[in-house]
Amino acid sequence: MTIVYEKSKGLTDVPFHYCPGCTHGVIHKLVAETLVELGVLGEAIGVAPVGCSVLAYNYFNCDMQEAAHGRAPAVATGIKRALPDKVVFTYQGDGDLASIGSAEIVHAAHRAEKITTIFVNNAIYGMTGGQMAPTTLVGQKTTTSPLGRDEDLCGRPIRIAEMLATINGAKFVERVSVDTPANVRKAKKAIKRAFECQIKGEGFAIVEVLSSCPTNWGLTPVKALDWLRDNMIPYYPLGNFRDFEEGK
Amino acid sequence: MSKVLMKGNEAVGAAAIKAGCKYFFGYPITPSSEIPEYMSKALPEAGGVFLQAESEIAAINMVYGAGGAGARCMTASSSPGISLKQEGITYAAGAEIPCVIVNMMRGGPGLGSIQPGQADYFQSTRGGGNGDYRTLCYAPASIQEIVDLIIMGFDKADYYRNPVLICADGMIGQIMEAVEFKEPKKVDLPPKEWATTGTKEERKPNIINSLYLQAEALQIHNSNLEKKYKLMEENEVMYEAYGLEEAEVVLVAYGTTSRIVKTAMKQAEQKGIKVGIIRPITLWPFPYDVFNTIGNNAKGILTVEMSAGQMVDDVKIGIAGKLPVYFNGTQGGMVPTPASILADIEKIAGGTK
Ligand SMILES: Cc1ncc(C[n+]2csc(CCOP(=O)(O)OP(=O)(O)O)c2C)c(N)n1
Ligand code: SF4
């Protein structure tokens, strides 16, 4: 029998705890497959965030460190400086990266830290029960913006990819989405390139992945992907903002 | 090796390098800024990496990462900066990451002053960050001692897989003294098999973590930590004590103040008052047992600190109500004078305090 598809050996046998239809699982799979395809699984050291993916250290089949909320880029910096030949990545949500850890990510990029960041933007705090994130869309209802995000009160959502692309040390910046099979394939390509950026010693690399949170958005998994496509992509345009070879 | 004249903060850096520290992550703050300054030059020369972090929070988390990857690493700061590091210190304690953290204490609370202080005692000995954890906490009183304690501290950190605090103060950081860098004694330490160095696909992944979602699992983890802290209490207490058997008055002081009380002690003895001294070298674990060796002539204990009396609580635990405990202290960066300490000694000895 020919094997058409199997679970990546970049993932452990531990079942994901993610809600049904949550795209964190898809993104894990892409990262794990990339590590295997690039032949660096044994050299990889991941840093897990605080957020729904806090247990990522149980799922990736490589050495992992769990970081305090938002501090993953600093922890990854310490690891990478101590072990410059290893492949170090952070996996972070939008509350983790765009809010409490905004200084750490900006300065990791600024130092051109040779790490790869997978930034999962689901426009909400998933783990703590659906509060507003810096990435929550204007008008989007959350448990701490019950009438919808008010621009006057809390500003417009932060576009992290665009912001980091202004920083010289960020050598690869791309925003992708996992709402359709075609976009998942593009996401995989970007993640691969972001790891290649590190392996080639170019500097900081980040992939912002638009992701769904059916549970806290109060939508079915399919409707959640529709909502992502209809509401998030227009505000968070997909595409590459910087690539080390094109010198963008 | 011969002695060299060195400023305290620079000696901190030199001692760390002597101890095999390869990574320093820091953020400048008076009166400890000469530590990152020294490291920025000396550490690369010694084959290591100095990195100026964007904040104390980032610096301690870099230490967490590098320490978790098995490296000997250090950070240093002064009081407000150490407050910011508390998040990382509790995480490092929870995840059992060895590292050394130097605090050149200054006056507080808040921005306080830039002069020496000792008011971070509670923060250093009671945890500081959230949760049930302890850190070995050394209080050097001279530049030679800070050098020796840092060199030893790296070994203790590795041995126990625990953060180690060096609680000095701005005075120790800023003065110059002659110091000798002895070759560190070889200590048998377990290999860091737990470190995240890459599996090479030959072993199971190592995980550095302080999260235990199941309450029972966290309880087990915490009781294992407690066992480790118990071992530290049994084996790591350090102090200097003399004259306790004959003493009419016992002085308790650490760090810079312990040097001042020695002057007051000499002056008191010229006046015929017998004075004993207890100088804790470890603030945690605290040398409670030595208080049992105080003789029957003692009329009282005088604790001297550059704080509002934070160590007094520990002194009271040590003496367990057998003698009255008095306090002489300064705050805000002021340093106690021998004259005021002598006046208190005379009152205690004369029964008028
Ligand atoms: C210092 C600190 N503050 C707050 C929290 C609580 N907390 C846990 S997860 C989280 C938000 C995570 O949201 P995000 O990063 O968007 O990840 P998601 O859960 O959506 O995947 C917060 C606020 C914490 N653990 N630590
Ligand atoms: S709460 Fe949202 S982000 Fe978290 S696992 Fe569930 S669906 Fe995913």
Side-chain angles (χ1 to χ4, degrees):
Chain A
M1 203 172 74
T2 46
I3 294 168
V4 192
Y5 180 82
E6 64 183 339
K7 190 173 176 178
S8 167
K9 69 167 174 168
L11 293 171
T12 59
D13 277 335
V14 179
F16 290 157
H17 70 284
Y18 299 111
C19 304
C22 173
T23 40
H24 263 306
V26 176
I27 304 165
H28 276 29
K29 169 181 118 83
L30 299 183
V31 174
E33 287 174 355
T34 300
L35 293 174
V36 173
E37 284 166 26
L38 292 173
V40 295
L41 185 64
E43 309 306 312
I45 302 163
V47 184
V50 168
C52 280
S53 44
V54 67
L55 296 178
Y57 55 75
N58 283 333
Y59 305 145
F60 288 111
N61 196 11
C62 60
D63 280 358
M64 294 288 294
Q65 292 199 18
E66 165 58 24
H69 198 23
R71 316 296 176 224
V75 171
T77 297
I79 300 170
K80 186 71 184 190
R81 296 298 173 132
L83 302 169
D85 298 334
K86 302 293 164 180
V87 176
V88 182
F89 68 96
T90 72
Y91 186 103
Q92 301 176 258
D94 45 74
D96 194 77
L97 181 144
S99 193
I100 191 168
S102 53
E104 282 78 8
I105 196 68
V106 164
H107 287 274
H110 167 65
R111 285 190 302 268
E113 211 61 64
K114 294 178 187 70
I115 61 172
T116 300
T117 291
I118 310 301
F119 168 42
V120 181
N121 179 357
N122 58 13
I124 206 159
Y125 286 8
M127 189 193 212
T128 38
Q131 296 85 9
M132 189 182 72
T135 46
T136 294
L137 298 176
V138 171
Q140 186 184 338
K141 286 188 179 157
T142 72
T143 57
T144 51
S145 58
L147 302 176
R149 180 179 179 140
D150 178 350
E151 182 181 341
D152 286 340
L153 189 63
C154 28
R156 287 169 69 78
I158 298 183
R159 291 189 179 103
I160 288 293
E162 286 84 340
M163 181 179 89
L164 293 183
T166 66
I167 297 175
N168 215 34
K171 300 298 182 191
F172 181 84
V173 183
E174 188 157 322
R175 183 182 290 119
V176 297
S177 170
V178 285
D179 61 316
T180 62
N183 275 343
V184 169
R185 275 196 294 278
K186 282 189 202 155
K188 170 86 175 283
K189 256 178 102 180
I191 289 171
K192 205 161 185 178
R193 192 123 181 97
F195 276 101
E196 282 166 356
C197 177
Q198 175 181 176
I199 293 162
K200 289 187 171 150
E202 299 282 347
F204 179 77
I206 182 168
V207 181
E208 174 172 343
V209 188
L210 300 186
S211 181
S212 71
C213 178
T215 302
N216 287 300
W217 293 355
L219 298 170
T220 64
V222 173
K223 287 237 165 68
L225 294 178
D226 292 341
W227 189 88
L228 187 165
R229 198 172 311 118
D230 297 342
N231 297 280
M232 287 181 74
I233 296 181
Y235 187 81
Y236 296 114
L238 306 185
N240 180 272
F241 295 91
R242 190 176 281 192
D243 187 283
F244 49 98
E245 261 162 21
E246 290 157 24
K248 268 191 196 170
Chain B
M1 206 190 125
S2 59
K3 289 196 169 188
V4 287
L5 186 67
M6 243 182 155
K7 188 171 184 170
N9 280 337
E10 295 177 347
V12 164
I17 292 172
K18 191 93 192 163
C21 170
K22 280 277 181 287
Y23 304 91
F24 182 93
F25 305 98
Y27 187 83
I29 181 169
T30 309
S32 67
S33 294
E34 295 88 350
I35 303 175
E37 284 171 1
Y38 180 89
M39 287 309 232
S40 69
K41 183 168 185 296
L43 201 46
E45 285 171 4
V49 176
F50 162 82
L51 192 61
Q52 181 166 326
E54 64 271 26
S55 69
E56 288 86 351
I57 300 175
I60 187 70
N61 281 286
M62 290 172 186
V63 163
Y64 177 103
R72 276 206 163 174
C73 53
M74 179 166 101
T75 185
S77 192
S78 289
S79 309
I82 296 291
S83 293
L84 284 181
K85 288 188 198 294
Q86 292 300 338
E87 177 198 76
I89 297 173
T90 157
Y91 273 77
E96 300 190 84
I97 292 177
C99 56
V100 173
I101 300 142
V102 178
N103 184 4
M104 287 295 170
M105 291 185 283
R106 66 186 227 183
L111 208 42
S113 73
I114 59 168
Q115 282 84 17
Q118 293 181 319
D120 300 350
Y121 185 93
F122 285 153
Q123 191 192 51
S124 314
T125 59
R126 264 58 183 169
N130 63 297
D132 280 322
Y133 76 94
R134 298 285 184 166
T135 42
L136 279 173
C137 178
Y138 295 101
S142 67
I143 300 187
Q144 183 64 58
E145 196 170 49
I146 201 168
V147 163
D148 296 342
L149 290 175
I150 284 175
I151 291 173
M152 191 182 78
F154 274 98
D155 285 336
K156 295 294 178 192
D158 279 348
Y159 181 78
Y160 288 106
R161 279 189 68 183
N162 209 62
V164 166
L165 298 188
I166 307 287
C167 262
D169 61 69
M171 188 74 85
I172 308 277
Q174 294 300 320
I175 56 171
M176 291 183 88
E177 281 180 335
V179 55
E180 188 183 353
F181 289 88
K182 285 162 242 158
E183 262 325 300
K185 267 189 246 132
K186 265 255 159 284
V187 178
D188 265 341
L189 293 168
K192 296 184 175 179
E193 280 161 357
W194 45 265
T196 58
T197 51
T199 62
K200 295 202 165 64
E201 298 192 44
E202 286 166 3
R203 60 156 167 80
K204 280 194 166 164
N206 283 340
I207 297 172
I208 298 288
N209 180 30
S210 64
L211 178 70
Y212 294 82
L213 281 175
Q214 252 70 45
E216 294 83 358
L218 180 58
Q219 168 139 322
I220 291 167
H221 174 62
N222 281 355
S223 60
N224 285 336
L225 290 180
E226 261 178 74
K227 279 181 205 142
K228 181 167 90 173
Y229 303 147
K230 201 104 217 107
L231 277 181
M232 293 179 189
E233 285 181 308
E234 281 163 18
N235 299 313
E236 302 305 333
V237 171
M238 287 173 72
Y239 60 86
E240 186 188 16
Y242 41 84
L244 297 188
E245 232 163 86
E246 306 290 309
E248 295 161 72
V249 179
V250 175
L251 302 178
V252 190
Y254 67 94
T256 289
T257 37
S258 71
R259 297 167 70 133
I260 300 165
V261 302
K262 283 181 189 170
T263 308
M265 171 190 169
K266 278 185 202 129
Q267 292 169 350
E269 288 184 337
Q270 274 161 13
K271 299 195 169 202
I273 306 171
K274 290 214 164 71
V275 175
I277 286 186
I278 295 172
R279 176 174 79 89
I281 297 173
T282 47
L283 300 184
W284 195 88
F286 191 80
Y288 295 117
D289 289 347
V290 67
F291 287 84
N292 296 330
T293 64
I294 296 173
N296 292 331
N297 295 337
K299 300 204 171 95
I301 297 185
L302 181 65
T303 306
V304 185
E305 284 176 86
M306 293 188 283
S307 82
Q310 298 191 7
M311 188 175 58
V312 168
D313 289 3
D314 275 330
V315 173
K316 283 184 176 163
I317 294 171
I319 199 62
K322 282 177 246 158
L323 283 172
V325 178
Y326 305 99
F327 175 65
N328 180 313
T330 54
Q331 290 182 62
M334 300 289 288
V335 179
T337 61
S340 83
I341 300 166
L342 178 62
D344 278 349
I345 294 172
E346 286 181 308
K347 278 190 218 154
I348 295 168
T352 59
K353 180 110 183 153

Coordinates of all heavy atoms in Angstrom, one line a residue, chain B residues 145-187:
Chain B
E145 N 35.0 39.4 48.7 CA 34.0 38.5 49.0 C 33.0 38.4 47.8 O 32.5 37.3 47.5 CB 33.2 38.8 50.3 CG 32.4 37.7 50.8 CD 31.8 37.9 52.2 OE1 31.3 39.0 52.4 OE2 32.0 37.0 53.0
I146 N 32.7 39.5 47.1 CA 31.8 39.4 46.0 C 32.4 38.5 44.9 O 31.7 37.7 44.3 CB 31.3 40.8 45.5 CG1 30.0 40.7 44.7 CG2 32.4 41.5 44.6 CD1 29.3 42.0 44.4
V147 N 33.7 38.6 44.7 CA 34.4 37.8 43.7 C 34.2 36.3 44.1 O 33.8 35.5 43.3 CB 35.8 38.3 43.6 CG1 36.7 37.2 42.9 CG2 35.9 39.6 42.9
D148 N 34.5 36.0 45.4 CA 34.5 34.6 45.8 C 33.1 34.1 45.7 O 32.9 32.9 45.3 CB 35.0 34.5 47.2 CG 36.5 34.9 47.3 OD1 37.2 34.9 46.2 OD2 37.0 35.2 48.4
L149 N 32.1 34.9 46.1 CA 30.7 34.4 46.1 C 30.2 34.2 44.7 O 29.4 33.3 44.5 CB 29.8 35.4 46.9 CG 30.1 35.3 48.5 CD1 29.2 36.4 49.1 CD2 29.8 34.0 49.1
I150 N 30.6 35.1 43.8 CA 30.1 34.9 42.4 C 30.7 33.6 41.8 O 29.9 32.9 41.2 CB 30.4 36.2 41.6 CG1 29.5 37.3 41.9 CG2 30.4 35.8 40.1 CD1 29.7 38.6 41.3
I151 N 31.9 33.4 42.1 CA 32.6 32.2 41.5 C 31.9 31.0 42.1 O 31.5 30.0 41.4 CB 34.1 32.2 41.8 CG1 34.7 33.3 40.9 CG2 34.7 30.9 41.5 CD1 36.2 33.6 41.2
M152 N 31.6 31.0 43.4 CA 30.9 29.9 44.0 C 29.5 29.8 43.6 O 28.9 28.7 43.4 CB 31.0 30.0 45.6 CG 30.6 28.8 46.3 SD 30.6 29.1 48.1 CE 29.1 30.1 48.3
G153 N 28.9 31.0 43.4 CA 27.5 31.1 43.1 C 27.1 30.4 41.8 O 26.1 29.7 41.6
F154 N 28.0 30.5 40.8 CA 27.8 29.8 39.5 C 27.7 28.3 39.7 O 26.9 27.6 39.1 CB 28.8 30.1 38.5 CG 28.5 31.4 37.7 CD1 29.1 32.6 38.1 CD2 27.6 31.3 36.6 CE1 28.8 33.7 37.4 CE2 27.3 32.5 35.9 CZ 27.9 33.7 36.3
D155 N 28.6 27.7 40.6 CA 28.6 26.3 40.9 C 27.3 25.9 41.6 O 26.7 24.9 41.3 CB 29.8 25.9 41.7 CG 31.1 25.9 40.9 OD1 31.0 25.7 39.7 OD2 32.2 26.0 41.5
K156 N 26.9 26.8 42.6 CA 25.7 26.4 43.3 C 24.5 26.5 42.4 O 23.6 25.7 42.5 CB 25.5 27.5 44.5 CG 26.6 27.4 45.5 CD 26.6 26.1 46.3 CE 27.7 26.1 47.3 NZ 27.9 24.7 47.9
A157 N 24.4 27.5 41.5 CA 23.3 27.5 40.6 C 23.2 26.3 39.7 O 22.1 25.7 39.6 CB 23.5 28.8 39.7
D158 N 24.4 25.8 39.3 CA 24.4 24.6 38.4 C 24.0 23.4 39.3 O 23.3 22.5 38.9 CB 25.7 24.4 37.8 CG 25.9 25.2 36.5 OD1 24.9 25.8 36.1 OD2 27.0 25.3 36.0
Y159 N 24.6 23.3 40.5 CA 24.4 22.2 41.4 C 22.9 22.0 41.7 O 22.3 20.9 41.6 CB 25.2 22.3 42.7 CG 25.0 21.1 43.6 CD1 25.7 19.9 43.4 CD2 24.2 21.2 44.7 CE1 25.6 18.9 44.2 CE2 24.0 20.2 45.5 CZ 24.7 19.0 45.3 OH 24.5 17.9 46.1
Y160 N 22.2 23.1 42.1 CA 20.8 23.0 42.5 C 19.9 23.3 41.3 O 18.7 23.2 41.5 CB 20.6 24.0 43.6 CG 21.2 23.7 44.9 CD1 22.3 24.3 45.4 CD2 20.6 22.6 45.7 CE1 22.8 24.0 46.6 CE2 21.2 22.3 46.9 CZ 22.3 23.0 47.4 OH 22.8 22.6 48.6
R161 N 20.4 23.6 40.1 CA 19.5 24.1 39.1 C 18.5 25.1 39.6 O 17.3 25.0 39.5 CB 18.7 22.9 38.5 CG 19.4 22.0 37.5 CD 18.4 21.0 36.8 NE 17.5 21.7 36.0 CZ 16.5 21.1 35.3 NH1 16.4 19.8 35.4 NH2 15.7 21.8 34.5
N162 N 19.1 26.2 40.0 CA 18.3 27.3 40.6 C 19.0 28.6 40.4 O 20.2 28.7 40.4 CB 18.2 27.0 42.1 CG 17.0 27.5 42.8 OD1 15.9 27.1 42.4 ND2 17.1 28.5 43.7
P163 N 18.2 29.7 40.3 CA 18.8 31.0 40.2 C 19.5 31.4 41.5 O 19.0 31.0 42.6 CB 17.6 32.0 40.0 CG 16.5 31.1 39.6 CD 16.7 29.8 40.1
V164 N 20.6 32.1 41.4 CA 21.3 32.5 42.6 C 21.4 34.1 42.6 O 21.8 34.6 41.6 CB 22.8 31.9 42.6 CG1 23.7 32.6 43.6 CG2 22.7 30.4 42.9
L165 N 21.0 34.7 43.7 CA 21.1 36.1 43.8 C 22.4 36.6 44.5 O 22.7 36.0 45.6 CB 19.9 36.7 44.5 CG 18.5 36.5 44.0 CD1 17.5 37.4 44.9 CD2 18.4 36.9 42.6
I166 N 23.0 37.6 44.1 CA 24.1 38.2 44.8 C 23.5 39.6 45.2 O 23.3 40.5 44.3 CB 25.3 38.4 43.9 CG1 25.8 37.1 43.3 CG2 26.5 39.0 44.7 CD1 26.4 36.1 44.2
C167 N 23.3 39.8 46.5 CA 22.7 41.0 47.0 C 23.7 41.9 47.6 O 24.0 41.8 48.8 CB 21.6 40.7 48.0 SG 20.0 40.7 47.3
A168 N 24.3 42.7 46.8 CA 25.3 43.7 47.3 C 24.6 45.0 47.3 O 23.4 45.1 47.1 CB 26.5 43.7 46.4
D169 N 25.3 46.1 47.5 CA 24.7 47.4 47.4 C 25.6 48.4 46.7 O 26.8 48.0 46.4 CB 24.4 47.9 48.8 CG 25.6 48.1 49.7 OD1 26.4 49.0 49.4 OD2 25.7 47.3 50.6
G170 N 25.1 49.5 46.4 CA 25.9 50.5 45.6 C 27.2 50.8 46.1 O 28.2 51.1 45.4
M171 N 27.4 50.7 47.4 CA 28.7 51.0 48.0 C 29.7 49.9 47.5 O 30.8 50.3 47.1 CB 28.6 50.9 49.6 CG 29.8 51.4 50.3 SD 30.0 53.2 50.2 CE 29.0 53.7 51.5
I172 N 29.3 48.7 47.6 CA 30.2 47.6 47.2 C 30.5 47.7 45.7 O 31.6 47.5 45.2 CB 29.6 46.2 47.4 CG1 29.1 46.1 48.9 CG2 30.5 45.1 47.0 CD1 30.1 45.7 49.9
G173 N 29.5 48.2 44.9 CA 29.7 48.3 43.5 C 30.7 49.4 43.1 O 31.5 49.3 42.2
Q174 N 30.7 50.5 44.0 CA 31.4 51.7 43.6 C 32.8 51.8 44.2 O 33.6 52.6 43.7 CB 30.6 52.9 43.9 CG 29.3 53.0 43.1 CD 29.5 53.1 41.6 OE1 30.4 53.8 41.2 NE2 28.7 52.5 40.8
I175 N 33.1 51.2 45.3 CA 34.4 51.3 45.9 C 35.4 50.5 45.2 O 35.1 49.6 44.5 CB 34.4 51.0 47.4 CG1 33.9 49.6 47.7 CG2 33.6 52.0 48.2 CD1 34.1 49.1 49.1
M176 N 36.7 50.8 45.5 CA 37.8 50.0 44.9 C 38.5 49.4 46.1 O 38.7 50.0 47.1 CB 38.8 50.9 44.2 CG 38.2 51.5 42.9 SD 39.4 52.4 41.9 CE 40.2 51.2 41.0
E177 N 38.9 48.1 45.9 CA 39.7 47.4 46.9 C 40.6 46.4 46.2 O 40.4 46.1 45.0 CB 38.8 46.6 47.8 CG 38.1 47.4 48.9 CD 37.2 46.6 49.8 OE1 36.7 45.6 49.4 OE2 37.0 47.1 50.9
A178 N 41.6 46.0 46.9 CA 42.5 45.0 46.4 C 41.8 43.6 46.4 O 41.1 43.3 47.4 CB 43.8 44.9 47.3
V179 N 42.0 42.9 45.3 CA 41.3 41.6 45.2 C 42.1 40.6 44.5 O 42.9 40.9 43.7 CB 39.9 41.8 44.5 CG1 40.1 42.5 43.2 CG2 39.1 40.5 44.4
E180 N 42.0 39.3 44.9 CA 42.7 38.3 44.4 C 41.8 37.3 43.7 O 40.8 36.9 44.3 CB 43.5 37.5 45.5 CG 44.5 36.5 45.0 CD 45.2 35.8 46.1 OE1 45.0 36.1 47.3 OE2 45.9 34.8 45.8
F181 N 42.1 36.9 42.4 CA 41.3 36.0 41.7 C 41.9 34.6 41.8 O 42.8 34.3 41.0 CB 41.1 36.4 40.3 CG 40.2 37.6 40.1 CD1 40.8 38.9 40.2 CD2 38.8 37.5 39.9 CE1 40.0 40.0 40.1 CE2 38.0 38.6 39.9 CZ 38.6 39.9 39.9
K182 N 41.4 33.8 42.8 CA 42.0 32.5 42.9 C 41.4 31.6 41.8 O 40.3 31.8 41.3 CB 41.7 31.9 44.3 CG 42.5 32.5 45.4 CD 41.9 32.3 46.7 CE 41.5 33.6 47.4 NZ 40.5 33.6 48.4
E183 N 42.2 30.5 41.4 CA 41.6 29.5 40.5 C 40.4 28.9 41.1 O 40.6 28.4 42.3 CB 42.7 28.5 40.2 CG 43.5 28.7 38.9 CD 42.7 29.3 37.7 OE1 41.7 28.7 37.3 OE2 43.1 30.4 37.2
P184 N 39.3 28.9 40.5 CA 38.1 28.2 41.1 C 38.4 26.7 41.4 O 39.0 26.1 40.5 CB 37.0 28.4 40.0 CG 37.5 29.5 39.1 CD 39.0 29.5 39.2
K185 N 37.9 26.3 42.5 CA 38.0 24.8 42.8 C 37.2 24.1 41.9 O 36.0 24.5 41.6 CB 37.6 24.6 44.3 CG 38.7 24.6 45.3 CD 38.2 24.2 46.6 CE 38.2 25.3 47.6 NZ 37.0 25.5 48.4
K186 N 37.6 22.9 41.4 CA 36.8 22.1 40.5 C 35.7 21.4 41.4 O 36.0 20.8 42.4 CB 37.7 21.0 39.9 CG 38.2 21.4 38.5 CD 37.4 20.6 37.4 CE 37.4 21.2 36.0 NZ 36.6 22.4 35.9
V187 N 34.5 21.7 41.0 CA 33.4 21.1 41.7 C 32.7 20.0 40.7 O 32.6 20.3 39.6 CB 32.3 22.2 42.0 CG1 31.1 21.6 42.7 CG2 33.0 23.2 42.9

